[in-house]
Amino acid sequence: MRSLALASVLLASFSLGPVAAAAAPPPAVAPAPVAALVRAVDIPYQQFTLANGLRVIVHEDHKAPVVAVSVWYHVGSKDEPKGKSGFAHLFEHLMFGGSEHSDQSWFTPMQQIGATDMNGTTWFDRTNYFETVPRGALETALFLESDRMGHLLGAVTQQKLDIQRGVVQNEKRQGDNEPYGLVEYAQLEALFPEGHPYHHTTIGSMSDLDAASLATVKDWFRSHYGPNNAVLVLAGDIDLPTARRLVEKYFGDIPRGPQSVPAAAAVPTLPAPKSEELHDQVATTRLYRMWVVPGLTDPAFAAIDIGADVLGGLSSSRLDNALVRGEKLAVSVSAGVQPFERVSLLEVTADVKPGVDPARVATRLDQIIADFVKTGPTADELQRAKTRAVSRRISGLESVGGFGGKAVALAEGAVYAGDANFYKTRLQRVAALTPAQVRAAIGRWMSRPVYALRVSPGPRGAYEESRSVPAGGGHHAPNYFRAPAAGEHPLAPLPVAIVAAAAAVPPAPASRGVDRSHFPPVGEIADLKFPNVEHARLSNGIPVAFARSAAVPVVRVAVSFDAGNAADPKSGLGTQSLMLALIDEGTDRYNSVQIAEQQERLGATISANAGMDRTVLSLFALKPNLAASIDLLADIVRHPAFAPAEVERLRGQQLARIAQEMAQPQGLAFRTLPPLLYGPEHPYGVPFTGTGDPRVVQRVSRDEIAAFHDAWLRPSKAKIFVVGDTSLAELMPVLERSFGDWRDTGPAPVKNFSAAIPANPSRIVLIDRPNSPQSLILAGEILNQTGKDDLVSLIEANDVLGGSFLSRLNMDLREQKHWAYGVNSVVNRVVERVPFLVFAPVQADQTGPSVAALRDDMSAFLAARGVTAEELQRTVNGSIRELPGSFETGGDVLGGMQRNDMYGRPDNYYETLASRYRSLKAADLDAAARRAIDPSKLVWVVVGDAAKVRPQLEKLGLPVEAAGAPAH
């Protein structure tokens, strides 16, 4: 719900001094023209409209046996009347709580059928619901979607409303609790006058949510959720006759509703510039400059959007090159446009470098903006911005559904512009832009009075929305760890849509034309067919693994090194992270700006990241520009310059990132727990964030950074994985030319996993974060299993315990007790000894009882209350049926190939999982969990307001110690 800042940028007239002069001009490249890229973007579709007004769009894509189902209702928070803010979003939550013929959690049947990319979202202009399902389960998905469109209100009860009201209010608190979490309130209050449809936030006010009655909520549904106000998109392994038959069958008898007319909204202009300052628990002062500009369908939008990219959205942007690279006044900058239907928000930000006067940065920021308004972009800047915009669109279209796939592109155009092909119109407008057009649009809209906001470190003032929940009265929405293919969970939280407590499905009468007394049978769902993986070696011995994926003309490359956070030197934690931040900031051939510009010209994206066991340099490339993109990747991997000036600049940025982590509940917990579990001498005994020790980052030298690169990023530790629209025969000469002559120098280091893992007593480590309305609980223990062991049974058992929405832990703390925003547990699969982790943000006044409930639930599950037959069936069915949707894109396949290699598994591993799942019994899951997990060994880290939380924790019978202090 918060405004999103985009990337960073360049001042053409500003001399970059040593930064710009550090390298010779790069060799000329001839990337594919933008117009040619735009012509290649096509989503063929057919459409029809039911008699009740439901618009249906069908796109065929048979690359995978899945279908994306996306329902968009043309109503959002801008359409809420005064006193009813938050209703659109509140109702989105209620739509997951069950309908008249399926009065249970939406996730119960969806997990059974193997749905992936499943969620619901609300924004100012629309509410949408989406899932990707196996082809054989499409009829079940349409039954459920039609039931909540046409047969919902009989299942909406006061109890469900009360639960979801609390969920939304705690979702609001959790967002507010983040650094800069109050900015959106100030932004909308300042930019839009009272009564304007965009004046209030989508999540609404506490008082309006409190006032929502059952009758008013039901009236909202009747007024806006008719089929004539909706668009249904089916994209994937389906044809028009099948779509027409099924949609007519399940949606055809739903009566039309009142015609919803989206609220009109003019683009307001401030009467005069306005400046404000907020204080917050932030590590860095952030400066904002904001304007309201035209909406998504306005012809001027493309020029404003691309102009913002040139100003602060590209890696080589005006602001980035001036404030970050050149004058080193800021640690990060951004500029971008938040698009809405009637209006949009243009936002520019600069995070002030610690020690620099914010007033000085504000003056330079305004000078650079004024210069850009006057001069506009150069032809080269515009060309790069266009290529990057088209490249992003092509990347998104590899998926049929989810947040940004083909179904979204079609639905967005149909809803906002009345034209499913509007994505083409937008791309054509971008391709046709000239520098003069962008200068004119920017000059018109950014020369108006600005809203200038400064957020400075300091105590956050009291505000109405922060009021606490009475004990036992708060209800929260879940926050899940994302579960990739085969249930392997990385440590990354994923917001998921909310539902009410599960209930038995009662017998129900048939509605006209459809027997709704039972679900339609699930058709045949074929087991996963993982793409064929081919293998080769470069002349220097680097292994190459390749899988073809021709859905879109792109190629993904991952150069993976056996390093990771576990390779960070114990006396130099943060060295690897700083090295990776620097690696694309200059080479022997290019300086920092030239690398950024080269990627933009090619439409390529090169990124560097590390997990616990691997360090990976990744490339996203457009097929026509593949050779030049790989050449750039190789130069970055092999020849980083680590120029002293760049080291100092990135050192400051990393210190700012660490400071920001230490201002966030999750960052604090993830930095604290691993060293407690593994011990400081173990390779895994380092912060999960990987950013390291600020004292080390402050002092590590350029030579130490270069030595780490040369030791760990070497051919003997490298493997290259490629997925995309090419062939091994075409690929190998390109890789050989770029990487084949690379040779090792000196002996290769190894990670030492012989350090003993301490016998940790169970205890609570409390991190004080005053004035936190919620507490973050992160608990863990080290298991005897390693990532290379067979963990199928254990991961499936954890799915029942805490790894899914319907898990024991989540259903207790969220659905029964209403204390948690969602509870997750995960077997975090590293190569060596794996940790079991529990993650739970809970309301502050129930922190102690939440820890007690988690311990009780785990103990019961591991003793007398093991996996039930229903839980086994639900979990196994979901795990089997979600496999095809889990490997829909080239990125999914690339990740699977790397995991198979890291864990020593065969290429066809994922194809063997279905039969493995089918053979599982409840006793197998129980035995695996009981063998591995011991709740009495958990170490608990709690981040919260110690004055409120400590008295609760001291009643649990566990030692409670402040972070860094002895227990007492």
Side-chain angles (χ1 to χ4, degrees):
M1 304 292 177
R2 301 296 187 259
S3 297
L4 300 177
L6 303 181
S8 318
V9 212
L10 140 71
L11 177 62
S13 60
F14 181 76
S15 172
L16 296 178
V19 176
V29 296
V34 173
L37 295 174
V38 168
R39 285 195 298 271
V41 179
D42 186 41
I43 314 172
Y45 67 90
Q46 297 169 288
Q47 61 183 337
F48 58 92
T49 302
L50 298 186
N52 59 15
L54 178 66
R55 290 175 288 169
V56 184
I57 299 168
V58 182
H59 164 68
E60 293 191 42
D61 180 344
H62 300 288
K63 71 176 183 295
V66 296
V67 181
V69 180
S70 190
V71 183
W72 284 49
Y73 293 90
H74 200 173
V75 61
S77 60
K78 79 170 187 302
D79 305 304
E80 297 163 343
K82 184 175 178 60
K84 294 179 172 60
S85 67
F87 271 43
H89 177 242
L90 176 60
F91 207 89
E92 173 219 314
H93 284 231
L94 287 168
M95 288 279 279
F96 286 89
S99 52
E100 293 170 5
H101 305 99
S102 179
D103 194 9
Q104 59 185 325
S105 162
W106 178 261
F107 286 88
T108 299
M110 281 293 161
Q111 184 175 4
Q112 282 274 7
I113 65 176
T116 54
D117 286 332
M118 172 176 50
N119 215 316
T121 70
T122 309
W123 205 216
F124 287 95
D125 309 300
R126 57 97 187 109
T127 309
N128 65 353
Y129 305 89
F130 52 91
E131 59 273 343
T132 299
V133 299
R135 179 182 54 211
L138 174 61
E139 196 162 355
T140 302
L142 294 179
F143 174 99
L144 290 164
E145 286 287 4
S146 65
D147 208 61
R148 65 178 174 182
M149 178 186 286
H151 308 275
L152 182 82
L153 293 185
V156 176
T157 65
Q158 185 66 48
Q159 180 186 20
K160 290 181 181 180
L161 173 60
D162 291 342
I163 289 172
Q164 295 311 316
R165 187 202 325 269
V167 167
V168 170
Q169 290 179 330
N170 277 288
E171 180 181 356
K172 179 181 176 73
R173 290 188 186 92
Q174 181 139 333
D176 294 351
N177 199 36
E178 289 296 309
Y180 310 103
L182 304 185
V183 166
E184 188 185 30
Y185 301 124
Q187 176 188 55
L188 299 182
E189 176 73 25
L191 290 171
F192 297 101
E194 184 72 33
H196 193 282
Y198 292 86
H199 179 74
H200 64 270
T201 63
T202 295
I203 205 163
S205 75
M206 289 291 190
S207 58
D208 285 356
L209 291 168
D210 281 339
S213 69
L214 188 62
T216 308
V217 166
K218 289 187 175 183
D219 284 344
W220 178 265
F221 175 81
R222 295 187 188 101
S223 299
H224 299 291
Y225 272 72
N228 46 305
N229 295 320
V231 170
L232 167 64
V233 179
L234 302 177
D237 194 12
I238 190 172
D239 55 46
L240 182 66
T242 302
R244 187 186 293 274
R245 174 177 59 83
L246 292 177
V247 172
E248 183 66 52
K249 175 180 179 181
Y250 289 105
F251 291 84
D253 67 342
I254 301 173
R256 297 176 69 95
Q259 189 61 47
S260 180
V261 180
V267 178
T269 296
L270 293 176
K274 182 173 183 177
S275 296
E276 291 184 309
E277 182 175 14
L278 298 177
H279 289 89
D280 200 353
Q281 296 185 60
V282 298
T284 304
T285 297
R286 179 172 294 172
L287 306 175
Y288 292 83
R289 300 292 184 266
M290 308 179 209
W291 299 262
V292 183
V293 297
L296 183 66
T297 60
D298 192 290
F301 177 84
I304 301 168
D305 190 37
I306 292 295
D309 270 353
V310 174
L311 175 62
L314 300 175
S315 296
S316 67
S317 68
R318 294 278 182 99
L319 291 173
D320 203 308
N321 284 356
L323 294 180
V324 179
R325 289 190 176 99
E327 299 169 52
K328 300 179 178 62
L329 299 177
V331 292
S332 67
V333 292
S334 72
V337 180
Q338 279 269 21
F340 308 133
E341 181 178 16
R342 306 298 196 196
V343 303
S344 298
L345 294 179
L346 172 55
E347 180 179 286
V348 179
T349 71
D351 285 2
V352 177
K353 184 177 179 180
V356 175
D357 182 2
R360 179 186 174 194
V361 182
T363 298
R364 283 297 292 135
L365 177 64
D366 292 335
Q367 289 172 349
I368 296 164
I369 292 172
D371 180 80
F372 184 65
V373 167
K374 179 180 178 180
T375 64
T378 67
D380 184 54
E381 286 174 324
L382 180 57
Q383 185 76 6
R384 299 198 314 269
K386 289 179 181 183
T387 303
R388 175 55 58 89
V390 177
S391 175
R392 287 173 178 162
R393 172 56 86 184
I394 292 173
S395 173
L397 296 183
E398 187 174 9
S399 174
V400 292
F403 285 95
K406 290 191 268 192
V408 172
L410 295 171
E412 183 180 65
V415 169
Y416 295 151
D419 177 13
N421 265 332
F422 184 64
Y423 72 92
K424 284 191 175 183
T425 301
R426 291 182 63 186
L427 289 174
Q428 289 161 358
R429 287 174 178 173
V430 167
L433 285 173
T434 66
Q437 289 172 321
V438 175
R439 183 176 66 251
I442 290 294
R444 175 183 177 187
W445 294 102
M446 292 187 71
S447 61
R448 297 174 305 142
V450 64
Y451 173 51
L453 176 66
R454 172 173 162 177
V455 182
S456 304
R460 175 183 284 189
Y463 67 108
E464 187 274 337
E465 304 294 359
S466 68
R467 56 193 176 86
S468 62
V469 189
H475 311 287
H476 302 245
N479 186 356
Y480 279 103
F481 289 105
R482 184 182 301 275
E488 293 167 346
H489 307 264
L491 200 59
L494 170 69
V496 182
I498 318 313
V499 304
V505 183
S511 60
R512 181 172 62 85
V514 181
D515 181 0
R516 292 189 179 269
S517 64
H518 58 84
F519 292 158
V522 176
E524 180 182 358
I525 298 177
D527 289 351
L528 171 70
K529 175 60 179 173
F530 197 79
N532 182 49
V533 179
E534 301 177 73
H535 295 272
R537 283 185 181 271
L538 302 183
S539 60
N540 60 356
I542 296 179
V544 177
F546 169 75
R548 179 167 171 75
S549 175
V552 289
V554 303
V555 178
R556 290 178 171 83
V557 181
V559 185
S560 177
F561 297 91
D562 183 7
N565 296 338
D568 228 8
K570 288 299 176 183
S571 61
L573 292 182
T575 302
Q576 177 191 235
S577 182
L578 186 53
M579 181 273 294
L580 291 177
L582 282 158
I583 199 167
D584 63 349
E585 296 290 346
T587 70
D588 295 347
R589 294 165 59 194
Y590 303 101
N591 63 37
S592 174
V593 175
Q594 290 166 341
I595 288 174
E597 291 178 348
Q598 195 81 324
Q599 290 185 70
E600 292 154 4
R601 289 190 185 97
L602 296 168
T605 301
I606 296 173
S607 58
N609 61 82
M612 294 303 286
D613 298 294
R614 295 292 184 268
T615 300
V616 182
L617 277 292
S618 301
L619 166 69
F620 169 87
L622 300 173
K623 169 66 184 300
N625 302 334
L626 178 60
S629 300
I630 288 180
D631 177 72
L632 181 61
L633 171 67
D635 197 47
I636 289 170
V637 170
R638 297 178 57 181
H639 307 296
F642 302 125
E646 295 299 306
V647 171
E648 294 312 307
R649 176 171 69 86
L650 272 296
R651 187 196 308 279
Q653 291 184 18
Q654 182 150 330
L655 289 169
R657 282 199 303 275
I658 294 172
Q660 193 63 28
E661 286 174 6
M662 298 177 76
Q664 294 172 320
Q666 185 170 295
L668 284 166
F670 284 179
R671 291 182 63 85
T672 302
L673 183 61
L676 297 176
L677 295 182
Y678 285 100
E681 298 307 313
H682 193 278
Y684 292 161
V686 297
F688 284 147
T689 62
T691 49
D693 184 338
R695 295 167 298 183
V696 169
V697 175
Q698 185 69 60
R699 64 163 173 75
V700 66
S701 70
R702 183 265 174 203
D703 289 345
E704 288 173 310
I705 294 167
F708 182 92
H709 169 274
D710 294 346
W712 290 97
L713 272 60
R714 56 170 60 215
S716 62
K717 288 186 171 292
K719 294 182 179 179
I720 300 176
F721 303 86
V722 184
V723 177
D725 186 17
T726 184
S727 66
L728 190 62
E730 183 179 41
L731 178 68
M732 286 303 291
V734 178
L735 292 175
E736 181 66 35
R737 185 167 59 249
S738 297
F739 289 98
D741 63 346
W742 190 17
R743 298 289 183 268
D744 265 26
T745 302
V750 294
K751 289 169 280 190
N752 180 12
F753 285 96
S754 63
I757 295 174
N760 271 312
S762 185
R763 65 196 189 279
I764 299 171
V765 177
L766 177 59
I767 302 174
D768 186 22
R769 191 174 185 270
N771 300 317
S772 295
Q774 292 183 326
S775 299
L776 177 64
I777 298 169
L778 180 66
E781 65 174 301
I782 306 304
L783 308 184
N784 290 324
Q785 289 79 2
T786 74
K788 293 188 175 183
D789 291 337
D790 182 353
L791 300 181
V792 169
S793 297
L794 178 59
I795 290 173
E796 291 295 280
N798 179 68
D799 193 74
V800 175
L801 174 60
S804 72
F805 181 89
L806 299 171
S807 68
R808 300 278 185 90
L809 300 182
N810 187 63
M811 295 304 285
D812 182 25
L813 262 71
R814 189 181 105 62
E815 294 295 339
Q816 277 76 51
K817 295 185 171 66
H818 316 318
W819 296 340
Y821 183 74
V823 178
N824 315 275
S825 63
V826 58
V827 178
N828 197 42
R829 196 164 196 164
V830 291
V831 170
E832 298 296 329
R833 294 274 298 278
V834 303
F836 170 73
L837 304 170
V838 179
F839 178 92
V842 302
Q843 65 188 66
D845 62 351
Q846 296 297 334
T847 305
S850 294
V851 173
L854 290 169
R855 294 168 68 193
D856 290 345
D857 288 342
M858 286 185 280
S859 296
F861 176 76
L862 296 168
R865 295 182 59 237
V867 177
T868 67
E870 187 276 331
E871 288 171 328
L872 176 69
Q873 180 191 49
R874 180 186 73 214
T875 302
V876 167
N877 282 348
S879 295
I880 294 170
R881 292 167 175 173
E882 72 184 14
L883 282 169
S886 298
F887 291 101
E888 180 197 355
T889 69
D892 297 333
V893 173
L894 188 68
M897 291 165 60
Q898 292 176 80
R899 289 191 295 271
N900 284 343
D901 175 79
M902 185 162 60
Y903 303 133
R905 305 186 305 211
D907 291 336
N908 70 339
Y909 171 78
Y910 291 106
E911 293 181 339
T912 70
L913 279 177
S915 61
R916 290 288 313 282
Y917 290 140
R918 289 190 186 99
S919 69
L920 291 175
K921 298 178 176 60
D924 299 327
L925 274 59
D926 288 338
R930 291 164 184 168
R931 191 164 49 243
I933 302 168
D934 184 349
S936 69
K937 295 181 179 179
L938 287 169
V939 175
W940 303 80
V941 171
V942 177
V943 183
D945 189 329
K948 298 177 182 177
V949 169
R950 178 180 279 275
Q952 302 172 47
L953 299 177
E954 289 176 340
K955 298 176 182 179
L956 298 176
L958 290 174
V960 180
E961 62 187 58
H968 68 277

